Every structure is written in C-alpha cells, then in structure tokens.
C-alpha cells in the first residue's frame, strides 16, 4: 500500500503545480485522494492508450510489483470482508461474484483497485474524533449500459455506485439530481456542483466525487485570544484577518533549503495532522512562497515532516481563521497534464465500462470547501536535503501572517487528504 500512497502524493504535487502556474496569488484547496480515487474508477474500465495516460499522470505505473504478495492478501481479505458483511440470503451470490474476481486477480488494474479499496476503508469512516466521508458516483446516460463485471468491481473496490440517468431527454432534472446528491454527501457545504449549461443533451458520462471532513484541534485556540491582525502578501498588499493565538507544545522544525518553518497542528487523538509550511517573512512574501512551491515534492515533504526534522518545543502560534471555496473544471487541467483520450469520443477506450465503443467522459468537476477556526477544521471537496531545527530561544514563534501552504495528512498511512495554499485568508 505504501507505493499507492506515494503515487497519490506525487499526483497531488503535480496537480498543485498545474493549477497554480497561471495564478500565483490564488488561494488553492483540493482533495488529491478524492481525485485519485475518482480517476482510479475510470482507470479500472479504461483500456489501451486511454488507460496508459491515466497510469502515467496518476503515477499508477509506479505501483510496486513488490507489493504483489500484499495485493494478493488484499484480494483475499476483501473476499472475506465482503462475504462476512453480506446478508445471509445474499452470501451465495456474493461468493459467486468473488470467485469471478479471483480468476482475474493477476490483472494489474484490479490489484491496484483492490489496494485502493483497502486504503479507502482505512480512511472513509465516521469516528468520535473526526469525520471523513469520501463518496464517488458515476452517472451514465441510460442508453450506455454498464458492464456487470465493471459494476461489481467498482462497487467493491471504490465503495461507489453507478447511476443511469436521462441526460438526453431531461438534462435539467439530471443536473438537479446530481447536485442534490453532492450536497447531501458534503453535509450541505457544496451546493450547485454543476451550474446551469454545464451539462447538455450530449452528455453521456459524468464522474462526481465528494469529500467531507470535520475535526477538532488536539489543542484548540481560545476565542478570547483571537484578535484583528494584518496579513501581508507584500509591503503594499495587506488585509485584516482574525488571528488566533495560543502557546503550547508543538512539533516544529526549519527547512534550510527553502528558508521555511514547518509546524504540525494535530487533530483530536493525533490520527490526523495539518502540517503548515511557512516561508520566511520578507518584503515580498510571494517570492518565498514561489521558492517553497518549486521545491515541494512528496519525498521532500516526508523528510521535512519526519521526526528527524521536527522536535517538540514550546511554541507561540499565531494562525488565521480562513474559509476557502473553489471549483475546478478538471477536463482542461487533466488534458494539460496528459490525460487526453478519455474526453475525446473518437479516441476514448472505455470498453471495460461499457461495450459501446462511443463512450467517453463528458465532465469532471472538483468543488471544495474549507473552514478553519478556533475549534478545528471543517472541509468538503467534491478529488531532498533536510535542514536541522534552527537554533532559537526557549519559546519559538510561528507567525502565519503571510502566505503559506498547508497539507492535511492521515498519520498512520501518510496519505495526503487535503492540500492548499493561502494567499488571502
């Protein structure tokens, strides 16, 4: 599973570079895990060059062959879990399904999907200490019937459903149905995923993914200490924000190569953490942010947040309240990254999804919402050399009053759940 987590993280930072290159001042927030899972669903039914493009962009081609034993165990484990969880009257049918799946267990796409299913099972759950709900759904034009084998696998591995819908005769009703489902899956935080005119009678396949996350800080900020303060983009561009303050023990470190601090702010019980990468303050804080972004990779992030680079210290933390909301039309973004054929009805090979050779992906939209305050975080989304800790006074200061990057990680699996950039809180 480690190589799948690494592949997802590499795609996370490739995606970050792609969406930030045209607007270095734009706030960014997205859920790379959701996007990888959603595209993994498509990959499961893609064939030939269409599948290869997805593999390369999502780094699925780096999925370790050394994990074959783990993958076999994954398939067997999935088999046991599905049979155990099935109603008694449905177990015979389920066993039949699993026997079919076992016959194709050597298929790389299925092995990858199985590991994805295990990863999602570890993450997608409601707990007392946090809520993380990941939901994917495919909506297909009812004239394009889905292959039963694909339907069975995508339900098992990606915990999703495939819905037939009448795009051609009732586009508006279809749009409203999809939007209602997304709003319900995101606890009402994501409304109007598809605006009017984004779908039409020519739409044949829509992929929707929704993520909802809510967690409380392990060390909450007292509202009495929240004050108005200045957030500086540069010497000329500043704005007033609500700045939260607290003093306590935090894991903190310094990255010499990019001149930036790293602070870990844990959520309740420490299963999830927000890691904040804060460049050194300067007359133009975007320059430091640009340098940090240019150096940011999965391997470097893992080194920067490792126990070798972070130490627990008494820290005076100043961190802004902020809300981020954005929508990404993934068609153009993914095409720029190299996933082209699935959007072209003359080139798309999705024959693993439907026997109809004319099937192609009409639309992928990723809409996100994030709210950070004194209690914690509420979020929704619809997809090198390590420096030593800088020698500082006994109480360190972490003042996030200028642009920074934040990454929310599931600590046990090291999976990146959310990634963002704050230029204007």
């Amino acid at each position: 599973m480690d190589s799948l987590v690494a592949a997802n993280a590499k795609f996370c930072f490739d995606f970050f570079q792609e969406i930030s290159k045209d607007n270095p001042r734009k706030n960014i927030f997205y859920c790379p895990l959701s996007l990888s899972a959603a595209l993994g669903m498509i990959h499961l039914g893609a064939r030939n060059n269409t599948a290869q493009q997805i593999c390369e962009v999502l780094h699925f081609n780096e999925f370790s062959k050394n994990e074959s034993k783990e993958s076999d165990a994954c398939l067997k484990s999935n088999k046991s879990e599905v049979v155990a969880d099935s109603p008694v009257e449905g177990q015979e049918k389920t066993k039949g399904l699993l026997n079919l799946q076992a016959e194709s267990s050597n298929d790389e796409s299925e092995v990858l999907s199985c590991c994805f299913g295990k990863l999602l099972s570890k993450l997608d759950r409601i707990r007392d200490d946090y809520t993380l709900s990941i939901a994917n759904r495919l909506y297909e034009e009812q004239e394009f019937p889905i292959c039963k084998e694909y339907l069975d696998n995508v339900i098992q591995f990606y915990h999703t459903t495939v819905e037939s819908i009448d795009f051609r005769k009732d586009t508006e009703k279809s749009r409203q149905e999809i939007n209602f489902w997304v709003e319900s899956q995101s606890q009402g935080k994501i409304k109007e995923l598809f605006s009017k005119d984004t779908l039409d009678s020519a739409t044949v396949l829509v992929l929707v993914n929704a993520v909802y996350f809510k967690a409380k800080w392990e060390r909450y900020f007292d509202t009495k200490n929240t004050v108005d303060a200045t957030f500086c983009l540069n010497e000329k561009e500043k704005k007033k924000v609500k700045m939260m303050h607290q003093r306590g023990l935090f894991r903190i470190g310094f990255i010499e190569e990019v001149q930036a601090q790293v602070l870990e702010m844990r959520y309740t019980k420490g299963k999830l953490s927000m890691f904040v990468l804060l460049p050194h303050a300067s007359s133009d804080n975007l320059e430091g942010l640009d340098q940090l972004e240019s150096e940011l990779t999965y391997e470097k992030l893992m080194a920067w947040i490792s126990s070798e680079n972070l130490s627990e210290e008494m820290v005076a933390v100043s961190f802004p309240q902020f809300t981020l909301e954005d929508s990404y039309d993934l068609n153009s973004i993914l095409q720029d990254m190299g996933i082209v054929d699935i959007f072209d009805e003359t080139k798309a090979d999705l024959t693993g999804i439907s026997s109809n050779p004319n099937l192609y992906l009409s639309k992928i939209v990723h809409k996100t919402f994030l709210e950070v305050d004194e209690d914690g975080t509420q979020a929704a989304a619809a997809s090198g050399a390590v420096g030593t800790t800088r020698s500082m006074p006994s109480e360190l200061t972490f003042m996030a009053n200028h642009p920074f990057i934040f990454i929310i990680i599931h600590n046990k699996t090291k999976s990146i759940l959310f990634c963002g950039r704050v230029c204007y809180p």
Side-chain angles (χ1 to χ4, degrees), residues 40-275:
M41 290 166 51
I42 298 297
H43 174 259
L44 184 61
R47 300 292 182 263
N48 301 313
N49 196 51
T50 303
Q52 185 61 31
Q53 289 177 359
I54 298 173
C55 258
E56 291 177 359
V57 172
L58 271 75
H59 297 272
F60 287 168
N61 55 335
E62 300 171 26
F63 183 71
S64 176
K65 296 285 195 298
N66 296 329
E67 290 191 3
S68 58
K69 291 184 179 179
E70 178 185 342
S71 302
D72 290 340
C74 166
L75 287 167
K76 293 176 182 177
S77 176
N78 263 7
K79 175 178 177 179
S80 301
E81 289 176 6
V82 173
V83 173
D85 292 342
S86 302
V88 174
E89 62 270 23
Q91 285 191 13
E92 291 303 316
K93 180 179 179 181
T94 305
K95 289 177 182 176
L97 161 64
L98 291 167
N99 286 334
L100 291 174
Q101 292 169 341
E103 292 175 5
S104 58
S105 62
N106 292 326
D107 181 83
E108 289 185 7
S109 178
E110 185 172 326
V111 169
L112 173 68
S113 296
C114 182
C115 282
F116 228 126
K118 297 298 289 185
L119 178 61
L120 292 175
S121 292
K122 290 179 180 292
L123 302 174
D124 185 10
R125 59 192 62 192
I126 298 175
R127 299 173 174 271
D128 293 336
D129 44 330
Y130 71 89
T131 299
L132 178 64
S133 174
I134 303 171
N136 292 306
R137 180 174 281 188
L138 273 171
Y139 288 91
E140 48 96 15
E141 167 59 39
Q142 58 190 20
E143 294 183 12
F144 290 80
I146 301 296
C147 298
K148 185 181 184 301
E149 182 180 1
Y150 176 78
L151 186 62
D152 292 338
N153 284 335
V154 84
I155 289 172
Q156 180 185 353
F157 298 138
Y158 291 97
H159 312 171
T160 191
T161 55
V162 181
E163 297 290 327
S164 292
I165 204 166
D166 195 347
F167 287 114
R168 293 184 176 178
K169 293 181 180 178
D170 204 338
T171 306
E172 179 58 19
K173 182 181 178 182
S174 300
R175 184 186 74 87
Q176 292 176 3
E177 182 179 327
I178 296 173
N179 284 345
F180 177 79
W181 181 81
V182 171
E183 185 173 342
S184 65
Q185 293 296 314
S186 63
Q187 307 297 309
K189 293 298 182 182
I190 296 178
K191 305 178 188 294
E192 286 289 294
L193 178 68
F194 290 103
S195 58
K196 287 190 175 184
D197 301 326
T198 54
L199 304 177
D200 55 36
S201 59
T203 301
V204 292
L205 187 67
V206 171
L207 173 57
V208 175
N209 64 87
V211 180
Y212 177 76
F213 170 61
K214 186 174 184 179
K216 292 185 178 297
W217 297 122
E218 185 174 71
R219 301 179 183 279
Y220 71 92
F221 291 83
D222 193 329
T223 56
K224 296 177 182 177
N225 297 327
T226 299
V227 298
D228 290 334
T230 301
F231 191 94
C232 302
L233 190 64
N234 52 47
E235 289 184 333
K236 294 182 178 179
E237 296 178 83
K238 304 175 182 180
K239 70 171 293 189
K240 290 293 183 181
V241 299
K242 294 291 184 182
M243 188 69 74
M244 307 179 294
H245 297 276
Q246 69 163 293
R247 284 179 169 82
L249 289 173
F250 290 88
R251 294 177 71 227
I252 190 170
F254 189 77
I255 313 164
E256 288 285 352
E257 61 187 294
V258 290
Q259 291 293 294
Q261 286 179 291
V262 186
L263 181 75
E264 178 184 9
M265 294 196 292
R266 293 192 169 215
Y267 295 100
T268 304
K269 297 185 180 179
K271 294 174 182 175
L272 306 173
S273 295
M274 176 187 285
F275 290 91

Side-chain angles (χ1 to χ4, degrees), residues 325-341:
E325 189 169 7
D326 210 344
S327 182
Y328 302 93
D329 181 346
L330 298 183
N331 291 44
S332 58
I333 295 172
L334 293 174
Q335 287 179 65
D336 288 343
M337 294 179 71
I339 299 178
V340 179
D341 287 5

